[in-house]
Amino acid sequence: MRCSCKECGTYMIQAESDHLGCVCPDCGYRCRDCLGTDTVVSREQLKDLAFDPRFDPERIAASFEQDGDEEWPEDRTADRGSGF
């Protein structure tokens, strides 16, 4: 992850210490913004996602299909010519 310092704008680097996050080499500002929300998902919550209808494989596949699309559309370039 690449971050810029909120204080001085310098490119920050990942800290190599027991405190995770980025450190600005110019002003010493530290942040953890690129590490996420600091939330932990329990095993039970993660397991429950398997039954969440939002992650149903058929529903996900349907979201990529458009009305009238064929599963294997024909090569339409033959009808239009190669264009080269």
Side-chain angles (χ1 to χ4, degrees), residues 1-59:
M1 179 59 79
R2 295 181 178 179
C3 302
S4 61
C5 179
K6 290 182 180 180
E7 298 296 316
C8 68
T10 302
Y11 173 73
M12 297 173 64
I13 56 174
Q14 292 287 323
E16 296 289 331
S17 67
D18 57 345
H19 300 290
L20 297 176
C22 294
V23 179
C24 177
D26 286 344
C27 70
Y29 177 78
R30 290 181 166 264
C31 82
R32 298 171 46 151
D33 292 349
C34 64
L35 296 179
T37 60
D38 250 351
T39 57
V40 176
V41 178
S42 70
R43 282 183 174 231
E44 291 77 26
Q45 290 172 316
L46 191 58
K47 191 186 302 183
D48 289 342
L49 289 177
F51 303 105
D52 190 321
R54 294 175 296 170
F55 302 111
D56 178 54
E58 291 177 7
R59 182 175 177 170

